[in-house]
């Protein structure tokens, strides 16, 4: 039996960050993971460049049953703190768009920084460790294929269910249940949406086409790229809205953001009525898309032949396209898992379970999910940091 001050399960972003902070405070830390390498999701994130944080971190950009929970950790360890850390490690970075910060080089630089900080902080990293039973008797005992570990503090950082083929498991949720913590229902987030029937035929015909769009669900709207796929719709605007969408809900898509299309078409009609509607619409949309929208609106012929009502219908099909996804691509491709350990059962400052002293949950396993764009890593750093000060 190996004795430590802190056992951390899961060597992802949150687990490694917590390990560093606890190690720096002089705690003897062991970090266990069943994977062969730490930070596998960091490695593949942001197209291999890791979108490690966002300049515009704000609590309203996170989804949770308890939206104020994340505030404390996000305020105590901010995006500016992490940016300083990255800069001090000599990692070059840039803002891509909408405050999203990426490495100039590779996501591996972030992993290397974390590994080197862990080493300096004296953290024991055990990889390839299958975790077995976790019990509590004078501290916590963790059985694993790498031996038995015991410590008065246990931090669960095993992430969500997204991308099982990369080692994601529901382990953290089962552990929360075992210790009597509540769970908010989990579902895939930041995920492409799928369609059936005529709508699927339309997206298939346009597969590969990417356009700027505003996608709305109730009062939430995102203006970012939209991508037509063989299964339905993807691209940042769709991934963002997918976290808000529930089965059965409708979303609205504006494929020509930034202008009143009906008025523009009327003006075109007055000036060049002999132009075909499809050609007129192609001034505002890619040609293939214009053809599809015209077909959907059921209009044809020249602009001059169109009634005001027909032009309105055309504009509505382009700017308020109401669609009902049948589902999502699921955990296979979802970037995150919504829901998780109920934050009402955790202390916002230490991430410690209120009913089980010494047991902490951090990162994606907790019911806090950020927008696309570096928000989820910032939650991993901030919650990992908070627990790291407390264990
Ligand atoms: P994370 O999933 O990183 O780590 C959990 C660890 O626990 C893993 O190492 C896993 O092997 C281990 N584990 C799980 N079950 C176990 C078990 N039973 N026994 C032992 N170990 C176990 N976010 C962002 O902000 N910017 C971005 O650019 C991206 N890009 C991105 C791309 C893709 C393809 C995905 C899938 C996700 C992103 N994300 C992202 C989201 C981001 O990766 C995610 O929110 C964080 O990695 C969560 O960090 P955690 O440490 O909580 O879990």
């Amino acid at each position: 039996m190996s004795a430590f001050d802190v056992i951390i399960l899961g060597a992802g972003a949150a687990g490694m960050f917590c390990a560093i902070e606890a190690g720096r405070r002089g705690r003897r830390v062991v970090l266990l993971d069943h994977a062969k390498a730490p930070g596998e999701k960091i490695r593949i994130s942001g197209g291999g460049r890791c979108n490690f944080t966002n300049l515009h971190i704000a609590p309203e950009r996170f989804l949770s049953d308890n939206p104020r929970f994340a505030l404390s950790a996000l305020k105590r360890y901010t995006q500016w703190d992490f940016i300083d850390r990255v800069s001090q490690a000599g990692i070059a970075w840039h803002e891509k768009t909408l405050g999203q910060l990426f490495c100039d080089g590779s996501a591996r630089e972030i992993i290397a920084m974390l590994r080197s900080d862990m080493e300096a902080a004296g953290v024991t990293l055990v990889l390839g460790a299958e975790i077995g039973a976790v019990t509590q008797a004078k501290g916590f005992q963790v059985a694993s294929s790498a031996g038995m570990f015991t410590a008065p503090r246990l931090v669960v950082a095993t992430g969500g269910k997204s991308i099982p083929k990369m080692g994601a498991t529901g382990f953290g949720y089962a552990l929360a249940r075992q210790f009597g913590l509540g769970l908010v229902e989990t579902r895939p987030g930041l995920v492409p949406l799928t369609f059936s029937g005529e709508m699927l035929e339309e997206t298939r015909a346009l597969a590969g086409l990417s356009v700027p769009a505003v996608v709305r669900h109730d009062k939430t709207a995102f203006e970012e790229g939209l991508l037509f796929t063989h299964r339905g719709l993807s691209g940042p605007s769709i991934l963002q809205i997918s976290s808000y969408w529930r089965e059965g809900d409708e979303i609205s898509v504006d494929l020509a953001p930034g202008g009143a299309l009906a008025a523009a078409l009327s003006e075109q009609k007055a000036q060049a009525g002999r132009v075909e509607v499809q050609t007129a619409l192609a001034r505002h949309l890619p040609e293939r898309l214009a053809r599809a929208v015209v077909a959907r609106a059921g209009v044809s012929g020249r602009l001059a032949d169109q009634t005001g009502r027909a032009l309105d219908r055309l504009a509505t099909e382009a700017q308020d396209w109401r669609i009902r996804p049948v589902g999502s691509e699921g955990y296979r491709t979802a970037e995150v898992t919504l829901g998780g350990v109920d934050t009402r059962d955790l202390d916002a400052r230490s991430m410690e379970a209120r009913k089980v002293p010494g047991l902490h949950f951090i990162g994606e396993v907790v019911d806090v999910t950020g927008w696309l764009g570096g928000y989820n890593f910032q939650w991993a750093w901030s919650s990992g940091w908070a627990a790291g000060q407390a264990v």
Side-chain angles (χ1 to χ4, degrees):
M1 175 94 80
S2 312
F4 286 85
D5 296 322
V6 187
I7 301 169
I8 303 176
L9 303 181
M16 285 196 275
F17 216 62
C18 179
I20 293 163
E21 290 304 313
R24 285 179 176 178
R25 289 176 50 246
R27 300 291 188 266
R28 291 169 305 145
V29 180
V30 63
L31 176 57
L32 305 176
D33 200 302
H34 63 177
K36 289 195 182 72
E40 279 294 273
K41 279 200 183 159
I42 300 177
R43 183 176 60 78
I44 62 154
S45 67
R49 290 224 160 92
C50 186
N51 178 193
F52 55 81
T53 192
N54 194 292
L55 296 176
H56 310 304
I57 298 290
E60 59 275 14
R61 294 178 174 207
F62 291 81
L63 290 85
S64 171
D65 251 19
N66 178 11
R68 296 200 58 78
F69 177 82
L71 190 64
S72 164
L74 292 172
K75 264 186 148 172
R76 288 172 69 215
Y77 191 85
T78 68
Q79 66 273 38
W80 313 113
D81 294 320
F82 194 76
I83 294 166
D84 269 357
R85 186 98 153 224
V86 169
S87 299
Q88 272 169 28
I91 301 173
W93 53 268
H94 61 279
E95 179 186 351
K96 195 169 166 192
T97 174
L98 301 171
Q100 302 169 4
L101 304 191
F102 286 76
C103 298
D104 287 358
S106 157
R108 290 177 195 273
E109 293 173 78
I110 300 285
I111 302 174
M113 172 186 84
L114 297 170
R115 284 196 86 146
S116 140
D117 286 353
M118 283 201 291
E119 219 174 293
V123 173
T124 303
L125 175 64
V126 182
L127 296 168
E130 295 301 331
I131 314 290
V134 175
T135 51
Q136 190 187 22
K138 288 192 190 156
F140 295 90
Q141 291 73 43
V142 175
S144 84
S145 58
M148 277 293 273
F149 296 87
T150 183
R153 299 272 183 175
L154 177 66
V155 182
V156 184
T158 46
K161 298 181 189 171
S162 319
I163 324 233
K165 115 172 162 233
M166 290 199 64
T169 65
F171 182 84
Y173 308 118
L175 209 58
R177 216 175 290 123
Q178 178 190 329
F179 283 98
L181 276 75
L183 285 176
V184 174
E185 192 191 350
T186 53
R187 59 200 172 90
L190 300 180
V191 64
L193 296 174
T194 57
F195 294 86
S196 62
E198 276 177 21
M199 178 61 205
L200 179 61
E201 278 171 35
E202 183 168 341
T203 69
R204 273 192 182 150
L206 295 167
L209 185 67
S210 165
V211 289
V214 178
V215 181
R216 292 193 175 79
H217 175 270
D218 283 343
K219 294 190 179 97
T220 309
F222 292 97
E223 180 164 3
E224 289 187 61
L226 175 145
L227 174 71
F228 291 87
T229 76
H230 286 286
R231 290 163 170 270
L233 296 176
S234 186
S237 60
I238 292 291
L239 299 187
Q240 297 278 34
I241 217 71
S242 74
S243 295
Y244 292 84
W245 175 83
R246 299 281 183 143
E247 257 171 46
D249 290 357
E250 189 179 71
I251 58 174
S252 153
V253 180
D254 179 353
L255 294 163
L261 190 57
L265 290 172
S266 303
E267 209 177 301
Q268 280 171 264
K269 177 179 164 182
Q271 284 171 4
R274 291 166 61 173
V275 169
E276 292 286 315
V277 241
Q278 193 175 303
T279 313
L281 191 61
R283 275 180 60 180
H284 308 276
L285 298 176
E287 207 178 322
R288 280 163 74 196
L289 184 55
R291 212 178 308 139
V293 172
V294 165
R296 202 188 320 124
V299 294
S300 59
R302 298 175 318 161
L303 269 180
D305 304 330
Q306 309 304 321
T307 60
R309 194 179 271 187
L311 291 184
D312 282 348
R313 194 162 69 238
L314 189 59
T316 302
E317 284 298 335
Q319 292 200 298
D320 185 16
W321 184 28
R322 301 288 178 101
I323 47 179
R324 212 178 284 280
V326 291
S328 80
E329 289 191 8
Y331 291 117
R332 191 179 57 82
T333 60
E335 280 201 14
V336 287
T337 303
L338 292 149
V341 177
D342 193 332
T343 57
R344 282 165 284 241
D345 287 343
L346 300 177
D347 178 82
R349 208 175 154 79
S350 60
M351 305 288 139
E352 188 171 9
R354 293 186 191 283
K355 291 182 234 161
V356 191
L359 179 64
H360 301 248
F361 288 84
I362 57 174
E364 197 178 320
V365 73
V366 177
D367 172 33
V368 173
T369 307
W371 283 5
L372 183 78
Y375 294 89
N376 287 295
F377 277 136
Q378 187 58 44
W379 169 245
W381 316 132
S382 297
S383 60
W385 185 91
Q389 309 311 308
V391 289

